[in-house]
């Protein structure tokens, strides 16, 4: 069991979460300094951690010219190459969402960078994860790599080969599976639940992928046309109640600190919404001062009320646990 004690702190929203070395690199990138990022990527050998770190770093770098400065000094650095690809993908996705006239050209450039990176860095799952991220831009599924058949007959053709390539390099890659879930949610929503139902039973105990169904529950809630009393209580009903319980059991079997802040935030929300205050308090304790804006911003009455909802849930969870122990 994870240790539990109430913590009353103002939430800290930092993309690096529990990863102290990543927090330093992110803070440096925000001020235009890239050396700590270079060192961090050069020493990050584990594929899953490399994936998550490059994702966070790219989101920060995409808002600045720091990679241009890095390229002037170290143009052949492999860390720079993968971050540049990540940033190109972010720019392509943002341009498509904004309906920019440059969206098509940015998408093509990003795809070419992904394929080039996959050749230069064969063991790295990140180029394949990036290609999965770009797959949502091909809604008709016109590209050959988005028409591949799944090994499971329940699932429709899609970018399964891209997921397989990421899996070969990092079995259970968290971002790859989340990208695949997002793909189905945006391209063919009925397949999203089938994808989760196929993936989760195969996930080993302790894996953060056990939280994947919680993201599906939040998305299903958001897509309800009316927020009536029945919809608001969805986490007290199946399958949402069992999703929260199974995710909690998997987290309980994990190493402390191994689940990212976002997954713990979804888990804390699901347990609280399921009226499991004692277990929700455990997860809030593990989160400590850290929080992610989602899912609170997605389920609150308005984004402005997201933090109020988070604080209310945390307070109610600790109060509920205290009452149960009294």
């Amino acid at each position: 069991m994870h240790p539990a004690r109430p913590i009353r702190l103002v939430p800290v929203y930092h993309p690096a979460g529990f990863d102290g070395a990543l927090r330093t690199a992110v803070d440096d990138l925000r001020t235009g300094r890239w050396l700590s990022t270079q060192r961090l990527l050069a020493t990050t050998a584990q594929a899953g951690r490399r994936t998550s770190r490059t994702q966070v770093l790219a989101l920060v770098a995409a808002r600045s010219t720091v990679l241009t400065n890095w390229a002037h000094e170290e143009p052949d650095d492999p860390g720079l190459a993968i971050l540049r690809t990540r940033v190109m993908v972010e720019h392509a996705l943002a341009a498509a969402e904004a309906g920019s006239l440059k969206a098509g050209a940015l998408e093509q450039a990003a795809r070419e960078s992904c394929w080039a990176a996959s050749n230069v860095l064969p063991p790295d799952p990140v180029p394949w994860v990036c290609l999965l991220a770009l797959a949502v831009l091909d809604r008709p599924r016109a590209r050959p790599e988005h028409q591949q058949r799944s090994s499971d007959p329940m699932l429709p053709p899609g970018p399964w080969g891209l997921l397989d390539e990421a899996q070969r390099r990092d079995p259970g890659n968290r971002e790859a599976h989340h990208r695949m879930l997002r793909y189905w949610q945006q391209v063919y929503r009925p397949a999203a639940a089938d994808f989760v139902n196929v993936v989760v039973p195969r996930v080993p105990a302790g894996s953060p992928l056990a939280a994947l169904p919680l993201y599906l529950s939040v998305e299903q809630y958001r897509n309800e046309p009316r927020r009536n009393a029945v919809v608001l209580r969805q986490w007290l009903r199946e399958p949402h109640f069992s999703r929260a319980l199974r995710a909690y059991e998997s987290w309980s079997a994990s190493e402390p600190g191994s689940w990212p802040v976002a997954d713990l935030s979804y888990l804390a929300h699901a347990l609280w919404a399921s009226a499991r205050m004692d277990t929700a308090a455990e997860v809030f304790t593990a989160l400590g001062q850290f929080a992610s804006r989602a899912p609170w911003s997605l389920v609150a009455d308005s984004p402005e009320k997201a933090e109020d909802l988070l604080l209310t849930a945390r307070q109610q969870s600790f109060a509920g646990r205290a009452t149960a122990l009294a």
Side-chain angles (χ1 to χ4, degrees), residues 36 52 56 69 108 147 152 169 171 183 195 197 207 230 247 265:
S36 58
S52 61
V56 170
N69 300 333
Q108 182 60 30
Q147 300 172 3
D152 193 296
R169 292 157 176 81
Y183 172 83
F195 170 65
N197 291 336
S207 169
V230 174
S265 295

Side-chain angles (χ1 to χ4, degrees), residues 131-267:
L131 286 167
L132 271 174
L134 291 169
V136 298
L137 302 181
D138 180 21
R139 292 182 184 275
R141 286 180 272 179
R143 301 183 67 87
E145 63 267 30
H146 304 156
Q147 300 172 3
Q148 297 183 342
R149 292 194 174 277
S150 169
S151 59
D152 193 296
M154 284 182 60
L155 299 169
W160 299 109
L162 302 180
L163 179 62
D164 288 345
E165 292 289 355
Q167 284 270 81
R168 288 190 190 101
R169 292 157 176 81
D170 180 35
N173 185 282
R174 178 188 176 277
E175 187 185 348
H177 285 82
H178 278 265
R179 293 289 186 183
M180 196 66 160
L181 175 59
R182 194 173 307 171
Y183 172 83
W184 291 120
Q185 287 172 336
Q186 296 188 26
V187 174
Y188 182 59
R189 190 176 296 164
D194 290 336
F195 170 65
V196 169
N197 291 336
V198 166
V199 167
V200 173
R202 305 171 183 174
V203 170
S207 169
L209 286 180
L212 201 64
L214 309 183
Y215 289 77
L216 181 63
S217 287
V218 169
E219 189 66 16
Q220 289 171 334
Y221 173 79
R222 293 181 70 207
N223 288 324
E224 288 292 338
R226 296 176 60 190
R227 300 288 179 87
N228 56 34
V230 174
V231 173
L232 291 172
R233 292 197 299 267
Q234 80 162 28
W235 278 273
L236 297 173
R237 296 182 284 107
E238 297 296 349
H240 311 285
F241 187 88
S242 292
R243 288 173 181 173
L245 179 60
R246 286 193 294 267
Y248 169 75
E249 290 171 347
S250 185
W251 171 69
S252 297
S254 69
E255 291 293 325
S258 61
W259 280 37
V261 167
D263 290 350
L264 288 185
S265 295
Y266 271 79
L267 178 57

